[in-house]
Amino acid sequence: MTVHTATESTSFVPGEAGVTLEPLRRAREVERWDASADVVIIGAGAAGASAAIEARKLGASVLMLERATDCGGSTALSGGIMYFGGGTEIQSACGFSDDVDEMYKYLLAASGPNPDAAKVRLYCERSLEHFAWCKEQGLRFKPSFYAKKTTEPPGEDGLLFSGNENVWPFNEIAKPAPRGHKPCTIGSAGRVIMDALLARSSELGARVETDTRVTGLVVDDERRVVGVIARQHHGTIAIRARRGVVLCAGGFIMNRALLAQHAPKLLNVNIQIGNPGDDGAGILLGLSAGGYAIGMGEGFVSVPFYPPSKLVFGVIVNAQGQRFINEDAYHGRTGEFILRQTRGAAYLILDEPHFARPLAGMPLAAAGETLEELERELHLPEGSLVHSLDFYNEHARRGEDPLFHKAQAYLQALDRGPYAALDLSVSRALVPGFTMGGLDTLPSGEVLAHDHRVVRGLYAAGRNTCGLPRSAAGYSSGMSIGCATFFGRLAGVSAACAEPAP
Amino acid sequence: MTVHTATESTSFVPGEAGVTLEPLRRAREVERWDASADVVIIGAGAAGASAAIEARKLGASVLMLERATDCGGSTALSGGIMYFGGGTEIQSACGFSDDVDEMYKYLLAASGPNPDAAKVRLYCERSLEHFAWCKEQGLRFKPSFYAKKTTEPPGEDGLLFSGNENVWPFNEIAKPAPRGHKPCTIGSAGRVIMDALLARSSELGARVETDTRVTGLVVDDERRVVGVIARQHHGTIAIRARRGVVLCAGGFIMNRALLAQHAPKLLNVNIQIGNPGDDGAGILLGLSAGGYAIGMGEGFVSVPFYPPSKLVFGVIVNAQGQRFINEDAYHGRTGEFILRQTRGAAYLILDEPHFARPLAGMPLAAAGETLEELERELHLPEGSLVHSLDFYNEHARRGEDPLFHKAQAYLQALDRGPYAALDLSVSRALVPGFTMGGLDTLPSGEVLAHDHRVVRGLYAAGRNTCGLPRSAAGYSSGMSIGCATFFGRLAGVSAACAEPAP
């Protein structure tokens, strides 16, 4: 049980080969428990650390098992935006009003065709409390608003529109408010979040074992989960969980076999948002104990053609030369819509005054002195692009977009050549993504079986679950970390409060 | 074990409430086996009857359990088209050449982003053999080709294009051949198929118990499936399966709770293609024994705006007044694409010479003397519909469709008013559909667990599995019954050949 310097992950190759796990083991077949804790948490990312903090605060002994050498999970690698609303002090300081009902209406519409209304409601009602909790853990948010269209604020600004709140059709569903909150730091804040949560869980006495990969679960004769089997450098160990095991081991964007089975659209992703451990092992462990996975086909597929926000003035067309989305939509929504077009082809059309190079470096598809020339260069049907731009320009000059209701702020005629087209096709563009499907859980974190019975002794949070975000077309930055920390807390409480296994 | 006249289905209400099943039971907890057979088949539809025939031919005793009062399942209610290719005598007699490789290329492309290449290959390579087998069971096919665009040939014709074989983009992927084969009868042939298969299985000595709903599976101490628990009018019985249990109990289009969890797009379906037993019980039984469900989000969602085939001359536009599909695509593909449009809205635009009433009775959305008037009546952005029709007409007069490559045979200018628009919006049109997701299986019918281990003693076929068809956008009529009968046979063979449980 010492921490080894060699990392297990060097011998683990994510991808086609999938994940090797052991079948469920009976407790009476375990010869010796090498360690034990009230609550054993698998994965030391945002969900796991939040669960650890809450479980420790309730007096439970906590052991976190992390397969990598460092803790932090995918949150540590992320931009660190967190989704809060209902009128946080940051929203108010920046001049935005928000309330629980508007937040709920938005998230319900945005969480996909199959939202978990109970989770959404709870998340909204407790958003201010959760914001306060995050501050208690040491996170600071600067009360300044970043107004430009971006994937992530470059500076310290603490608030931004991080999704589709203020774009059509969502702006007709709920009163828009920016809800993306970024802890105060220059650039990405994921590490800041994880440093705070891990420091706190450590202060509270939660133990962590790194370089420890859980390969199987242990159940008693009543099929209650009572422990885990894990591999460390020197061999295999068995760890007893007296009150519960909490799965917080991330999604499965690194596992191409699982993607092919469940979410083939995510095979188009060429930048996996995650860490090598996001191979679905946690979800599979849950299944091995009788859990049930839902929403497995859904995931985030983005084509981040902005920043700079100037590019949002451009017009996106498909292989028919037609527009198909308001270009001011969140980049995840745009990515999802691009995937639905013929061959996943899409081009961002720009004129000279609106040209810029995207930060994500999308390739140039064509250039031309006139739109006619650009159309030919792109091999679009003759007249198709010219018509789309004529129609767009005519209305843009009046500040209107009758087709897709793009915001007036980004409506200007593109009529000053030369023209260029950036390639936003999924086969050529940079396409980051991650999975959203996972174990079905109650808001409490209790894992459900296919028949809605609770799998006793087993809890889950974060991307091991099908949580709040369930639709690429409605995703906002911050929903994943917001969901992981909030429901991680609840799962930690549930496990800590469970009756000890006999 | 007598057949009762009261049907259990009167007390079963499909829908929100879901399905009530029992947890897995241990064989040693079963006090008494009320019946036994080598092979116990759950569901007496196309998959079940095909499995029964093959198992009996190998000498295994067979007991089929059917929850309804009559056998036949959803196949008996269907049009009865079966997907064969590779050069059947019917294809040849009608003047079409086909081969295994072209069939394979087509089905691989059409079976969705995640085809099971092994199943597709086997299905194509053995298609002529399977066609001969169906004839052996008494099915007759008339060597005449039905050339019009339809959902189902009205007369006795035995061959038709039943999918997207001859439409773009599939006609660029594989050499088109019609592969929809309909057993000889006027109109729907589903009952003809089931009468033949059930008569044959009965002749061979397969027993059937109707009004018998399986509510749970029984496993031995090694977790091999060795029996089932079922409800009949007078109570609960236990049936021992010496060699195997074969799940052939259909999809889950009748179970709104499961649809919401896994395939929310199918909540748009307002005509469930299936029978009341299609509530997913077979899939859930498989899960209870450690099976694993894949492709659960996928299903068939059709907007059958033809026949009459004359309507294919029409132009389909979305809420932006834009075309988004070649109108000669198979109606299932069209339905899938309509779902992807803003609010699922779509209109079929017709001029006076091309107007007709769809057999499926789609509502009239608007009419106008001119296209401008029609555009206003439909509340489409000004100029949008007019442009789309102008562009279409200009090219149609030259026999071209540069946007979506609709077949020349259906290209004529729509320029003789008055004009009408039929409402193909998913909220207003007739939208039939069914599910495609189900248990992961080997081509042999062996049910797989999440870790690709075989669930011993358990087999599945038909819509209880994720089989050949895995994409609404590529579905052809006949793939379901083709898949159910073919893989039903293989599952029957596998179960019959299994070593008996100790």
Side-chain angles (χ1 to χ4, degrees), chain B residues 428-477:
Chain B
R428 308 225 34 225
L430 183 125
V431 185
F434 56 83
T435 61
M436 292 182 189
L439 297 168
D440 192 16
T441 53
L442 293 174
S444 61
E446 291 165 281
V447 173
L448 294 174
H450 67 87
D451 53 7
H452 293 268
R453 287 184 180 90
V454 165
V455 178
R456 291 180 59 225
L458 192 64
Y459 306 84
R463 282 295 71 77
N464 265 186
T465 71
C466 185
L468 217 55
R470 297 182 168 199
S471 153
Y475 187 80
S476 295
S477 287

Side-chain angles (χ1 to χ4, degrees), chain A residues 114 260 262 292 322-323 387, chain B residues 114 260 262 292 322-323 387:
Chain A
N114 178 30
H262 291 290
Y292 184 54
Q322 296 177 333
R323 287 177 72 217
H387 167 76
Chain B
N114 177 31
H262 291 291
Y292 183 55
Q322 295 177 333
R323 288 177 72 217
H387 168 76

Side-chain angles (χ1 to χ4, degrees), chain A residues 44 59 104 162 172 187 245 252 289-290 346 400 419 469:
Chain A
Y104 176 72
S162 65
E172 294 179 352
V245 169
F252 58 99
E400 291 168 6
Y419 298 90

Side-chain angles (χ1 to χ4, degrees), chain B residues 4-235:
Chain B
H4 307 287
T5 48
T7 83
E8 176 275 336
S9 62
T10 53
S11 66
F12 171 73
V13 183
E16 302 291 352
V19 182
T20 307
L21 297 172
E22 294 164 47
L24 213 51
R25 197 179 293 193
R26 293 271 165 179
R28 54 183 151 81
E29 293 160 11
V30 173
E31 286 179 14
R32 188 172 64 94
W33 293 109
D34 299 281
S36 73
D38 288 327
V39 177
V40 173
I41 298 170
I42 304 177
S50 302
I53 291 168
E54 297 298 77
R56 277 302 300 141
K57 280 162 70 179
L58 290 165
S61 61
V62 171
L63 177 57
M64 269 195 283
L65 305 175
E66 169 57 48
R67 64 197 283 173
T69 301
D70 284 325
C71 295
S74 294
T75 297
L77 306 173
S78 78
I81 296 169
M82 306 180 81
Y83 203 85
F84 299 114
T88 67
E89 62 194 46
I90 307 299
Q91 288 179 310
S92 302
C94 295
F96 295 96
S97 69
D98 191 13
D99 67 42
V100 169
D101 286 340
E102 295 301 323
M103 183 182 181
Y104 176 73
K105 275 194 282 181
Y106 175 74
L107 279 183
L108 203 67
S111 298
N114 177 31
D116 184 328
K119 281 184 183 164
V120 174
R121 189 79 220 172
L122 193 65
Y123 186 80
C124 295
E125 282 177 352
R126 287 189 50 185
S127 188
L128 292 181
E129 185 275 334
H130 187 50
F131 180 72
W133 182 89
C134 289
K135 290 206 305 173
E136 276 170 35
Q137 313 316 313
L139 297 180
R140 292 287 164 267
F141 300 86
K142 190 171 164 183
S144 59
F145 176 63
Y146 186 80
K148 290 184 191 169
K149 201 85 189 164
T150 190
T151 48
E152 181 182 315
E156 292 186 340
D157 295 314
L159 188 67
L160 79 160
F161 275 104
S162 64
N164 293 292
E165 295 80 0
N166 58 343
V167 306
W168 183 82
F170 297 95
N171 56 5
E172 294 179 352
I173 294 168
K175 182 169 164 273
R179 301 194 184 96
H181 288 65
K182 202 191 82 171
C184 186
T185 193
I186 302 284
S188 295
R191 188 76 250 177
V192 172
I193 295 171
M194 287 316 305
D195 284 349
L197 298 181
L198 291 166
R200 179 78 169 145
S201 74
S202 174
E203 275 165 35
L204 289 169
R207 288 174 292 154
V208 189
E209 284 286 324
T210 56
D211 296 300
T212 302
R213 181 160 76 93
V214 175
T215 55
L217 296 178
V218 182
V219 293
D220 66 14
D221 285 347
E222 313 301 315
R223 286 183 78 84
R224 173 177 171 158
V225 176
V226 295
V228 309
I229 304 295
R231 288 202 196 146
Q232 290 187 325
H233 190 54
H234 290 303

